[in-house]
Amino acid sequence: MPKNNNNLLIFFTIICLQACIITSPDWLKINGITPCWPVILLLPFSLKNSPWKAMMASILLGIFIDSFTISDVSYIPSLFLLSLVWSTYGLHNKKIELFLNIGLMAIFGTAFVGFSIWVQKIIIYSVLRNNWFHSWSIYVLISEVIITGLVAPFVCSWLIFAYKRN
Amino acid sequence: MIKTRRKIGVHLLWKSRFWVLFLVCALLFGIRWTKGAAYLDFYSILLKPILPGTAQKEWIKEGENIEKNIRLKLLEQDNTRLRKALSLKEFNSDQRISAAVISRSSRNWWKQLEINKGYKDGVLKGQTVIGPGGLIGLIDSTTPLTSRVRLLTDPGHQIGAWIDRTKHHGILTGMGTNRPKLIFLNKNTIAKVGDAVTTSPASTLLPPNLTIGIVQFVEEKALPSPYAIVQLTASPEAIDWVQILKDNAKK
């Protein structure tokens, strides 16, 4: 595949993913919950690039994603830590593009992001410190982890290939 | 040869058509006694295939709805006049903006809707958003062409509400689930399952008497104050069109 085509593919993939974030299509939901798109975007980029670049990307991505949510809690802290871990782990000639490895990393990443939002909400709203909120949070967390684990291998492995060829 | 006289018997009565008369009389008596039940039943069976079925029901319902609408208008006019006299916030049904839901995130970490009307159409932060069934949320932010609605179910979202029957106030708090929690302001609040929850008629932030939901569960022994779990009457997951009330904006 020519280099220019790869650039084009990456560009369109990012556009498509952003469109998915904004429109949140019903056919990509499980129990009404969408995949964790920031994790899907950040994972391949962090694996391929240096920690410095990955951290910068995580902050920019966090700012972008936060603009589409009600601004009380933020994605930035969790994405920042994830980018650091993933970029340090890196590809290093590993066959990381294998389907299950990517899926597993996305699952752990989504769980961490979800847990961070959960904790932030509890810190900000004292009224949420009861069983009703926790049961709902577990429900969202599990659903999000499942759907991201299903979607991520397809998108992330393809993105890693595209990054490598670039 | 003398002919023998024929025996006198029942067959003579039969032949003399006495029984016909008897039967007719019995039938008439039966009809009178049952008040024509057999006739009416037979008539109803005959009419069954050509009777106006559901259409008739709809006409009657339509008529009832028209009557109720007229009564509602009169009551609203009355209510507006009285609210003006008491200097309370008005609920003006003419100042509404209809908008379509363009993106929905009603079950995620954030409970929000994106609608296709922004500040160019007069939508402002803090305005009330209603859907079929009642209140669904408040405008959180606006762009020139779109607005973001924070749903009542969003974790931590709080608005004032009251129980219409007992006239007690509380704070409706979103818990993430489809059933927000109504935390009462005093301990002596007695709410029952099935009570209607509405916005307070004395509210200065929200339009008065908007339906929010129905009480599903009451915990009277909770500390520091009792609470109730409220089932919302408007379901944000199924709503495609909403209306924004213009009269409670933060300018």
Side-chain angles (χ1 to χ4, degrees):
Chain A
M1 202 180 281
K3 194 178 171 182
N4 287 341
N5 268 1
N6 272 337
N7 278 334
L8 203 66
L9 282 171
I10 290 167
F11 175 74
F12 276 114
T13 313
I14 289 167
I15 294 286
C16 284
L17 286 174
Q18 287 179 3
C20 285
I21 293 164
I22 296 162
T23 56
S24 58
D26 284 339
W27 51 271
L28 257 177
K29 284 180 182 173
I30 188 166
N31 293 330
I33 289 156
T34 50
C36 189
W37 295 112
V39 167
I40 291 172
L41 269 172
L42 189 68
L43 176 61
F45 188 85
S46 302
L47 287 173
K48 189 72 189 86
N49 290 291
S50 63
W52 176 246
K53 272 187 182 175
M55 283 190 293
M56 282 302 290
S58 72
I59 292 167
L60 293 174
L61 186 66
I63 292 166
F64 175 76
I65 299 288
D66 282 348
S67 62
F68 293 104
T69 59
I70 298 160
S71 50
D72 47 5
V73 300
S74 176
Y75 274 104
I76 296 171
S78 53
L79 289 182
F80 185 81
L81 286 171
L82 280 177
S83 68
L84 195 69
V85 172
W86 284 336
S87 56
T88 313
Y89 184 70
L91 284 175
H92 301 300
N93 295 326
K94 292 177 202 123
K95 288 187 176 173
I96 198 76
E97 55 269 27
L98 283 171
F99 234 52
L100 292 174
N101 284 353
I102 298 276
L104 205 62
M105 287 174 95
I107 283 172
F108 282 120
T110 309
F112 182 70
V113 170
F115 190 71
S116 132
I117 294 167
W118 185 355
V119 171
Q120 285 180 69
K121 287 223 173 214
I122 289 169
I123 292 166
I124 292 169
Y125 303 112
S126 58
V127 74
L128 297 176
R129 289 165 202 161
N130 65 60
N131 295 330
W132 294 89
F133 177 65
H134 295 316
S135 59
W136 168 76
S137 300
I138 291 165
Y139 164 84
V140 175
L141 194 67
I142 292 171
S143 304
E144 200 174 36
V145 161
I146 292 169
I147 188 69
T148 312
L150 287 171
V151 173
F154 294 96
V155 183
C156 293
S157 57
W158 188 75
L159 270 175
I160 286 177
F161 275 126
Y163 282 131
K164 269 186 162 182
R165 286 185 183 184
N166 252 357
Chain B
M1 200 173 162
I2 301 164
K3 280 184 179 177
T4 53
R5 192 181 166 193
R6 290 169 78 185
K7 281 180 185 175
I8 299 168
V10 181
H11 67 278
L12 286 178
L13 283 174
W14 183 253
K15 275 192 172 177
S16 66
R17 295 189 178 181
F18 170 78
W19 284 105
V20 177
L21 190 69
F22 178 77
L23 277 173
V24 169
C25 287
L27 190 67
L28 285 173
F29 180 74
I31 290 166
R32 174 68 190 85
W33 192 51
T34 58
K35 294 182 177 174
Y39 269 94
L40 291 172
D41 286 352
F42 181 66
Y43 181 63
S44 76
I45 291 164
L46 276 181
L47 278 184
K48 214 171 188 179
I50 53 165
L51 268 178
T54 49
Q56 179 88 0
K57 221 179 235 178
E58 279 168 17
W59 298 337
I60 293 166
K61 271 190 179 172
E62 204 177 312
E64 275 177 7
N65 284 343
I66 291 167
E67 188 202 340
K68 277 180 185 169
N69 279 341
I70 293 166
R71 274 196 64 201
L72 188 70
K73 266 188 184 173
L74 290 171
L75 287 169
E76 269 185 359
Q77 281 171 3
D78 218 21
N79 190 26
T80 313
R81 187 175 52 78
L82 290 168
R83 294 187 77 80
K84 264 184 188 169
L86 290 168
S87 311
L88 288 173
K89 201 168 183 64
E90 283 179 53
F91 177 59
N92 194 345
S93 57
D94 298 331
Q95 289 190 329
R96 294 181 183 190
I97 305 164
S98 289
V101 176
I102 54 170
S103 175
R104 194 193 310 268
S105 167
S106 54
R107 283 196 173 185
N108 225 319
W109 290 109
W110 292 270
K111 311 272 187 179
Q112 61 188 48
L113 299 177
E114 303 287 341
I115 55 173
N116 71 340
K117 292 282 166 73
Y119 66 70
K120 274 194 170 178
D121 303 286
V123 182
L124 295 166
K125 189 181 174 181
Q127 282 177 338
T128 314
V129 182
I130 58 168
L135 183 68
I136 58 168
L138 301 178
I139 298 287
D140 184 69
S141 60
T142 56
T143 66
L145 297 174
T146 65
S147 302
R148 184 168 297 144
V149 182
R150 189 178 188 187
L151 300 175
L152 295 179
T153 50
D154 188 60
H157 192 196
Q158 294 184 314
I159 60 157
W162 85 332
I163 292 199
D164 198 39
R165 187 179 62 82
T166 57
K167 319 285 181 213
H168 276 116
H169 286 268
I171 297 167
L172 191 81
T173 309
M175 305 302 295
T177 59
N178 280 339
R179 295 175 177 181
K181 190 175 175 181
L182 182 65
I183 303 164
F184 295 109
L185 296 178
N186 49 13
K187 282 190 177 181
N188 304 324
T189 309
I190 302 161
K192 278 183 186 171
V193 173
D195 280 348
V197 180
T198 61
T199 53
S200 167
S203 172
T204 51
L205 295 170
L206 295 168
N209 301 321
L210 283 176
T211 312
I212 294 173
I214 306 288
V215 172
Q216 288 279 305
F217 169 79
V218 183
E219 179 56 90
E220 286 176 6
K221 290 174 185 173
L223 290 171
S225 56
Y227 70 83
I229 300 299
V230 178
Q231 175 69 54
L232 298 178
T233 44
S235 169
E237 285 165 28
I239 289 171
D240 289 329
W241 284 85
V242 294
Q243 286 189 317
I244 305 141
L245 306 179
K246 285 171 101 175
D247 49 2
N248 64 323
K250 286 172 190 169
K251 287 175 186 170

